[in-house]
Amino acid sequence: MKEQLLNKSAAINTPLADGCTRRIALFGSTGSIGRQALEVIAGNSSLFSVEVLTAYNNEELLIEQALRFNPNIVVIGDEKKYQKVKEALSATEIKVFAGEKALEEVASMDCYDLMLAAIVGYAGLRPVLRAIGNGKSVALANKETLVVAGDIIMRKAVENRVPVIPVDSEHSAIFQCLVGEMRNKIEKIILTASGGPFLGRKPNYLVNVKREHALQHPNWNMGAKITIDSATLMNKGLEMIEARWLFNLNPEQIQVVIHPQSIIHSMVQFEDGSIKAQMGLPDMKLPIQYALAFPRRIPNTFPRYDFKKYNTLTFEEPDLRTFRNLGLAMDALNKGGNLPAVMNAANEIAVYAFLRNRVNFLDMTDVIEKTMHKVSFIPSPTLEEYFESDGMARNYAADLIKL
Ligand code: NAD
Ligand code: MG
């Protein structure tokens, strides 16, 4: 699969040659990734054009982005916001659609070359499936898509000769380390984790952690859901599963190391013991830019890492006894089947409840664990069965919390 992935990457529909722009469909344009992607695009307007912008309910920002980037199409997920967006853009040629189905339909259109999948959570899965079915390259930030149905997504990508280029910084690092290594076997990959805001803390501290505190990440400024996932280490668990499918690895080839400075974004160890790392200051614009422009590297003026200024890089084992979500994700990774999809759904519900002060920090783990035990295990699910497992897990987790 690694070979196929990298070979197929050459097949991105529009090469980034001079005078030829790559047409981007930005799904989730109002989020943290979406906004940073627009900064990258604005700085490289001869290379990229914006064809599609989508958002769920931040209509003010979506309208502002549409007026600035003049896409062909915008989609607002929340149908109640349709009239407002339509009216605000009535003096333009921009087509406006609304609703979940419209997201899928637009993903199936021919007006773009590359989808940047930056919707958060399970909601991003169906548009990605449509893009791949439509033969469109995908720059994937939405890791939950691969956690839920990674086997099916990657199989369809290979069948349709569609490159899936990671945006997640760790996976972008691994992808970059693999360029030029097509024939060489990976011994293992080492995913680095910052450890989040509660690194070194124990359960007696975590039990009292509140939403505002958990939303303060030391190194990255991200959307609310992934910030909570980073504080519980669930994010690293999701990333292990994401890596398993992106790079066709066995679970035992994936190791997690805590690296609080977030300078090494991840590493690949080959069969001869040699380790390649990709490094830089923590800034998501770099992996976003790499995925949008792949296989080219384009110049920028982002701040550079200075070895003399920050001269200590440290590494330690994750504390699985305190951060039990990571252990649950490792179970899901090892057992496979529908368990990662079930875990992901329960986690989405638990994080939603935590962000609304409905459960405490450690309760999130209990909700996920109970849901993983409750929903029947399916070893090789169909796509329909993945959808059903997601629904069952959501309902069960919501009942547990009495949402
Ligand atoms: P965010 O919450 O800031 O933005 C999410 C975007 O998705 C918004 O545009 C929102 O309108 C849209 N959206 C939300 N729910 C939707 C729904 N039901 N239907 C349609 N659209 C919906 O999230 P983010 O931090 O930008 O993260 C996006 C994805 O990228 C996540 O999967 C996350 O794990 C991944 N990621 C993010 C970062 C980061 O630095 N933010 C880093 C690595 C990976
Ligand atoms: Mg990451």
Side-chain angles (χ1 to χ4, degrees):
M1 185 85 73
K2 174 186 65 138
E3 230 169 87
Q4 285 158 326
L5 177 85
L6 293 174
N7 277 337
K8 296 296 175 299
S9 302
I12 289 192
N13 317 35
T14 312
L16 263 188
D18 289 340
C20 188
T21 61
R22 187 171 280 170
R23 300 169 303 167
I24 310 295
L26 182 35
F27 277 62
S29 64
T30 55
S32 157
I33 293 288
R35 281 176 276 131
Q36 293 180 82
L38 287 174
E39 278 182 53
V40 169
I41 291 170
N44 295 280
S45 54
S46 60
L47 301 178
F48 307 113
S49 68
V50 178
E51 287 300 313
V52 178
L53 291 174
T54 89
Y56 185 67
N57 58 7
N58 188 347
E59 77 281 10
E60 301 282 352
L61 182 56
L62 181 65
I63 292 165
E64 193 185 311
Q65 292 176 339
L67 291 172
R68 174 158 180 222
F69 289 91
N70 194 28
N72 188 358
I73 294 172
V74 305
V75 185
I76 178 87
D78 183 351
E79 297 184 34
K80 294 193 290 295
K81 308 277 171 83
Y82 172 76
Q83 272 312 329
K84 186 164 175 203
V85 179
K86 177 86 187 148
E87 272 159 35
L89 301 180
S90 60
T92 71
E93 301 277 288
I94 302 168
K95 300 182 207 59
V96 181
F97 301 103
E100 220 176 289
K101 276 272 159 279
L103 285 171
E104 288 189 57
E105 280 158 20
V106 170
S108 303
M109 290 181 183
D110 214 31
C111 60
Y112 69 97
D113 300 309
L114 178 133
M115 171 192 278
L116 174 55
I119 289 179
V120 60
Y122 174 82
L125 171 62
R126 288 176 199 257
V128 168
L129 272 170
R130 287 293 193 101
I132 291 173
N134 189 17
K136 301 298 184 187
S137 308
V138 176
L140 190 75
N142 175 244
K143 64 190 81 183
E144 294 89 349
T145 282
L146 289 182
V147 174
V148 174
D151 55 341
I152 293 180
I153 296 278
M154 293 311 289
R155 194 169 63 237
K156 282 192 188 299
V158 169
E159 280 165 13
N160 290 294
R161 302 176 55 82
V162 164
V164 178
I165 307 148
V167 171
D168 213 350
S169 57
E170 296 77 1
H171 305 74
S172 175
I174 292 162
F175 191 85
Q176 292 180 53
C177 291
L178 290 176
V179 170
E181 301 284 359
M182 237 155 5
R183 293 177 194 288
N184 296 323
K185 271 207 192 133
I186 298 171
E187 191 166 271
K188 68 174 179 182
I189 61 159
I190 301 147
L191 282 180
T192 51
S194 70
F198 306 130
L199 178 61
R201 299 295 190 179
K202 295 292 168 198
N204 61 353
Y205 178 90
L206 294 179
V207 72
N208 294 316
V209 155
K210 293 283 174 281
R211 175 186 187 277
E212 278 59 38
H213 194 179
L215 281 172
Q216 304 299 319
H217 195 279
N219 303 348
W220 303 94
N221 185 4
M222 310 176 284
K225 194 254 176 188
I226 185 176
T227 305
I228 302 303
D229 284 345
S230 300
T232 64
L233 292 201
M234 177 54 91
N235 183 50
K236 213 45 57 181
L238 299 176
E239 290 183 352
M240 292 178 84
I241 301 169
E242 180 186 15
R244 185 233 185 290
W245 296 120
L246 272 174
F247 307 112
N248 195 28
L249 302 168
N250 296 319
E252 54 280 7
Q253 288 174 289
I254 307 168
Q255 187 190 343
V256 170
V257 168
I258 303 287
H259 166 47
Q261 299 80 18
S262 298
I263 297 298
I264 295 185
H265 299 309
S266 278
M267 299 175 257
V268 179
Q269 181 172 313
F270 295 93
E271 282 189 312
D272 59 357
S274 180
I275 298 173
K276 280 168 94 172
Q278 187 267 336
M279 304 172 69
L281 290 172
D283 179 351
M284 282 308 295
K285 287 202 292 302
L286 183 55
I288 291 169
Q289 167 181 309
Y290 186 80
L292 293 181
F294 183 82
R296 254 181 78 180
R297 287 186 186 274
I298 50 179
N300 61 40
T301 54
F302 307 159
R304 271 36 179 170
Y305 177 65
D306 178 351
F307 277 91
K308 295 185 291 301
K309 209 153 128 203
Y310 314 93
N311 59 7
T312 311
L313 300 181
T314 61
F315 306 92
E316 58 190 271
E317 281 283 314
D319 175 358
L320 292 177
R321 258 197 260 168
T322 302
F323 296 94
R324 289 178 51 232
N325 277 6
L326 181 56
L328 290 176
M330 288 175 173
D331 285 350
L333 169 70
N334 287 322
K335 293 192 186 121
N338 64 339
L339 204 54
V342 168
M343 177 195 76
N344 177 69
N347 181 57
E348 287 191 24
I349 296 291
V351 171
Y352 175 92
F354 177 74
L355 285 170
R356 279 153 193 80
N357 301 314
R358 302 290 295 272
V359 294
N360 82 30
F361 192 82
L362 294 178
D363 289 342
M364 287 192 277
T365 308
D366 293 334
V367 170
I368 299 163
E369 189 171 34
K370 284 184 181 141
T371 309
M372 287 170 74
H373 283 136
K374 178 71 182 180
V375 178
S376 309
F377 182 68
I378 307 174
S380 303
T382 61
L383 190 57
E384 255 335 290
E385 285 170 330
Y386 278 129
F387 295 156
E388 285 162 18
S389 299
D390 172 87
M392 278 189 277
R394 262 167 219 277
N395 288 337
Y396 183 74
D399 278 352
L400 279 177
I401 304 170
K402 302 192 175 41
L403 274 182

